[in-house]
């Protein structure tokens, strides 16, 4: 049975269950009057804080005959209420803010009226659930960072589920990301928060330390940091750069996408100098990205991590392929989105996008009259299918405004797309492809492209995607030798997810960190630190009016 059908069935069962209970047991007249007197055009405020989900709560309590959810028969907060307070007290372990869920009010539950307490607890629960399901922030509004179908935020079903099961633990477990990596990132965040109290003064980057047995006054500080970061055993005790410390440095380098050579140079010291507070920020925003993530990635899918510079093929939760990739430069960013790879093009031609033709190719052509010939380009006027002679064109007179030419690079060893491109037609005109510039894969930070993703092992990827068809590796190689362009469709389209992670736990539970190449983390972190629960100045002006309207002491008048 689908999740939607299951939720619908449970909703019906809960409503029937609520309906058959005696009204004398269920109904609370003051709660009814409070909710029915609320005005949709004005904020509903309790003790300086806005109730964020008043419409949803009005509907829920009306359907439940205005019964209390969070109190005992004696009128005190019940076990679920206390559990919710404890959960919110530690929600910063997941990078969320307790105060977004009325934490200050929850600490003073006994000081609230029964009705205030009921609405504050329900509002806190609903807001928390919506954030665990889909994130606190809207990915679409954070500078178009994450292009995917927005996940539903309505927590009505979870509120009904809570009323039926009386199990807050189960409801929250159902809405958290179902992935062991999320839990590992939570635990890493907890550990890093403790480290923020440790003095983390910058280590100088010179001289380089690279020789086993070398002595250096920085050895002690390096070892202390590697112990705190779980790369070096706590019992290590030496004064020199020995084999064990060398191995720990290599582990640290591997986790940070650095050249894994054990040499402590500028890049390694830069990574060692990243403070725990900066790592807390990285984990906070990447936990949020995890909550944005669509859980239905597919039984088999291709995953690209832009900031990690890698591509992986996952099938039935197993890693099938793992390879380096090259992604877009900072000013030509690779977009974040999901689609499906539908076909491959062997020996592709390259139709140069107009922007690249004007900004990159035109200056090169003006500087070298043989550029087009040397790199196998044909030139077409407008939409014409007949090539024109490049020598007949006054290239020096062409600018961005009057450029009306189409540049097409023939298939072959010099083609910018290499020998294979992997197509998933999309609004960004982005795809995966081979490249003749193989030397760039030796770099650790590989943001060199104009937006498309260059793969380091295109033959292996093609073989994997075409499994189950007549196109085995030998046939693919034979086709490539002909230089003839050939389109080959996959037996079944394979989802591709292009994502952006600067901190993540790998399949072995090891934490990895990467540079924020597109400078997105700080922007997202700032959005996450904005409080939701505090009343705005405009809302504060209505506080006295609302206190009169919703004060239980006046409801019987």
């Amino acid at each position: 049975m689908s999740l939607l059908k299951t939720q619908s069935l449970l909703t019906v069962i809960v409503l029937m269950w609520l309906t058959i209970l005696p009204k004398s047991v269920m109904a609370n007249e003051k709660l009814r009057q409070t909710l029915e007197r609320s005005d949709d055009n004005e904020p509903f405020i309790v003790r300086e804080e806005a109730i964020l989900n008043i419409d949803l709560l009005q509907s829920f309590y009306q359907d439940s005959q205005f019964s209390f959810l969070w109190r005992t028969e004696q009128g005190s907060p019940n076990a679920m209420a206390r559990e919710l307070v404890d959960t919110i007290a530690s929600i910063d372990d997941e990078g969320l803010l307790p105060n977004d869920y009325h934490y200050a009010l929850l600490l003073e539950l006994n000081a609230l009226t029964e009705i205030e307490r009921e609405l504050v607890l329900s509002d806190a629960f609903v807001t928390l659930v919506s954030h665990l399901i889909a994130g606190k922030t809207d990915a679409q509004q954070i500078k178009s960072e994450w292009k995917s179908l927005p996940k539903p935020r309505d927590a009505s079903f979870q509120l009904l589920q809570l009323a039926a099961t009386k199990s807050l633990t189960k409801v929250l477990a159902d809405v958290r990301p179902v992935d062991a990596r999320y839990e590992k990132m939570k635990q890493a965040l907890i550990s890093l928060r403790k480290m923020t109290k440790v003095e983390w003064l910058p280590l100088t980057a010179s001289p380089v330390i690279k020789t086993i047995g070398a002595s250096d006054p920085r050895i002690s500080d390096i070892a202390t940091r590697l112990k705190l970061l779980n790369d070096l055993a706590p019992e290590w005790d030496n004064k020199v750069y020995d084999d064990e410390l060398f191995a720990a440095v290599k582990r640290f380098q591997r986790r940070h996408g650095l050249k894994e050579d054990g040499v402590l140079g500028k890049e390694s010291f830069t990574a060692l100098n990243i403070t725990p507070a900066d790592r807390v920020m990285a984990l906070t925003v990447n936990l949020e990205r995890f909550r944005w993530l669509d859980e239905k990635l597919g039984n088999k899918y291709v995953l690209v991590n832009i900031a990690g510079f890698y591509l992986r093929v996952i099938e039935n939760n197993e890693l099938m392929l793992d390879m380096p990739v090259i992604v877009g430069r900072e000013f030509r960013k690779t977009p974040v989105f999901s689609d499906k790879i539908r076909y491959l093009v062997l020996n592709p031609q390259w139709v140069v996008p107009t922007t690249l033709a004007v900004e990159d190719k035109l200056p090169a052509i003006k500087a070298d009259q043989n550029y087009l010939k040397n790199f196998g380009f044909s030139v077409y006027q407008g939409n014409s299918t007949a090539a024109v002679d490049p020598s007949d064109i006054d290239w020096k007179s062409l600018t961005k405004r009057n450029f009306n030419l189409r540049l097409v690079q023939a298939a072959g060893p010099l083609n910018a797309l290499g020998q294979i491109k992997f197509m998933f037609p999309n609004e960004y005109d982005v795809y995966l492809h081979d490249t003749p510039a193989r030397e760039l894969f030796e770099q650790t930070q590989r943001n060199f492209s104009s937006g498309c993703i260059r793969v380091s092992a295109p033959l292996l990827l093609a073989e994997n995607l075409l499994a189950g068809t007549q196109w085995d590796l030998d046939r693919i190689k034979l086709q490539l030798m002909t230089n003839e362009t050939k389109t080959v469709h996959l037996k079944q389209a394979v989802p591709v997810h292009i994502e952006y992670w600067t901190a993540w736990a790998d399949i072995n539970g090891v934490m990895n960190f990467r540079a924020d190449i597109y400078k997105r983390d700080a922007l997202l972190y700032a959005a996450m630190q904005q409080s939701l629960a505090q009343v705005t100045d405009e809302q504060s002006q209505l506080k006295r009016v609302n206190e009169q309207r919703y004060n239980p002491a006046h409801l019987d008048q």
Side-chain angles (χ1 to χ4, degrees), residues 159-424:
L159 198 53
L160 288 169
Q161 185 183 21
L162 186 67
T165 65
K166 295 294 189 292
S167 175
L168 181 68
T169 300
K170 178 179 182 348
V171 173
L172 294 182
D174 287 346
V175 297
R176 280 190 171 95
V178 185
D179 196 304
R181 295 172 297 170
Y182 185 82
E183 181 61 30
K184 181 65 180 179
M185 291 166 68
K186 279 175 53 180
Q187 296 307 314
L189 180 58
I190 294 169
S191 297
L192 283 165
R193 277 221 169 87
K194 296 175 182 177
M195 289 183 218
T196 56
K197 300 176 183 178
V198 177
E199 189 174 51
W200 210 273
L201 298 176
L203 301 172
T204 57
S206 62
V208 173
I209 304 174
K210 59 182 178 180
T211 306
I212 300 294
S215 297
D216 190 283
R218 296 166 293 175
I219 291 292
S220 177
D221 288 334
I222 292 167
T224 297
R225 292 188 187 185
L226 292 176
K227 289 177 182 180
L228 287 170
L229 297 172
N230 295 320
D231 291 303
L232 180 63
E235 61 270 16
W236 184 89
D237 184 18
N238 205 334
K239 302 296 183 183
V240 299
Y241 194 47
D242 64 6
D243 288 332
E244 190 175 352
L245 184 54
F246 179 82
V249 168
K250 289 181 68 175
R251 279 192 290 273
F252 176 84
Q253 290 171 329
R254 185 186 315 125
R255 294 194 306 110
H256 290 78
L258 305 175
K259 188 174 182 180
E260 193 181 336
D261 56 9
V263 175
L264 281 163
K266 181 180 178 180
E267 289 187 346
S268 292
F269 277 113
T270 298
L272 281 168
N273 284 334
I274 296 173
T275 66
D278 286 335
R279 295 185 189 278
V280 164
M281 181 180 77
L283 274 169
T284 297
V285 299
N286 283 282
L287 280 165
E288 179 76 346
R289 289 174 180 136
F290 223 117
R291 292 185 285 266
W292 290 343
L293 190 63
D294 186 350
E295 294 179 358
K296 298 177 182 178
L297 299 177
N299 292 329
K300 177 177 181 177
Y301 59 91
V302 175
L303 170 65
V304 174
N305 179 3
I306 298 169
F309 307 113
Y310 65 74
L311 176 150
R312 290 172 181 165
V313 177
I314 311 294
E315 187 167 5
N316 296 323
N317 294 320
E318 291 191 18
L319 179 63
M320 308 303 292
L321 282 179
D322 188 354
M323 67 184 71
V325 298
I326 293 168
V327 300
R329 288 167 277 180
E330 202 280 331
F331 61 94
R332 287 181 182 162
K333 299 178 179 68
T334 298
V336 176
F337 68 105
S338 295
D339 212 299
K340 290 185 177 181
I341 301 175
R342 303 175 190 280
Y343 62 93
L344 279 58
V345 181
L346 308 180
N347 294 318
Q349 293 182 324
W350 182 38
V351 180
V352 185
T354 302
T355 299
L356 298 187
V358 173
E359 295 180 0
D360 295 0
K361 300 305 176 187
L362 186 56
I365 295 167
K366 289 180 177 180
D368 180 4
Q369 61 181 356
N370 293 317
Y371 180 86
L372 293 169
K373 179 180 178 181
N374 291 342
F375 287 92
F377 283 96
S378 298
V379 182
Y380 298 85
Q381 188 80 40
N383 294 322
S384 174
T385 57
V388 299
D389 188 338
S391 62
D392 293 338
I393 298 172
D394 182 7
W395 292 99
K396 292 184 178 180
S397 69
L398 294 181
T399 66
K400 182 177 181 178
R401 293 185 177 182
N402 63 6
F403 191 87
N404 190 32
L405 300 173
R406 214 166 70 255
L407 305 182
V408 180
Q409 189 178 30
L414 298 178
N415 189 283
L417 306 183
Q419 292 183 297
I420 310 175
K421 67 176 179 178
F422 305 81
M423 297 302 295
F424 39 103

Side-chain angles (χ1 to χ4, degrees), residues 24-85:
S24 60
V25 174
M26 300 294 299
N28 185 284
E29 185 62 19
K30 290 183 180 180
L31 179 57
R32 182 189 67 77
Q33 291 183 37
T34 299
L35 290 170
E36 289 183 351
R37 290 185 186 185
S38 66
D39 188 337
D40 292 341
N41 296 320
E42 295 179 357
F44 192 106
I45 297 172
V46 173
R47 310 286 177 100
E48 301 285 348
E49 293 194 15
I51 299 299
L52 304 174
N53 305 278
I54 191 65
D55 291 346
L56 186 153
L57 298 186
Q58 286 173 324
S59 177
F60 167 75
Y61 282 106
Q62 182 176 5
D63 290 340
S64 65
Q65 301 185 41
F66 302 100
S67 62
F68 283 102
L69 182 60
W70 304 96
R71 76 167 190 178
T72 65
E73 291 183 3
Q74 292 73 34
S76 60
N78 61 19
M80 284 201 313
R82 295 192 296 272
E83 184 183 354
L84 181 61
V85 175

Side-chain angles (χ1 to χ4, degrees), residues 2 17 134 316 328 479 482:
S2 69
W17 173 76
N316 296 323
Q479 180 64 39
T482 67

Side-chain angles (χ1 to χ4, degrees), residues 14 76 79 93 112 151 180 199 233 242 244 288 325 352 354 479 496 524-525 544 549 551:
V14 172
S76 60
D93 293 348
L112 301 179
K151 296 167 75 173
E199 189 174 51
D242 64 6
E244 190 175 352
E288 179 76 346
V325 298
V352 185
T354 302
Q479 180 64 39
V496 56
L524 177 54
Y525 187 75
R544 289 186 179 179
R549 297 176 62 201
N551 188 335

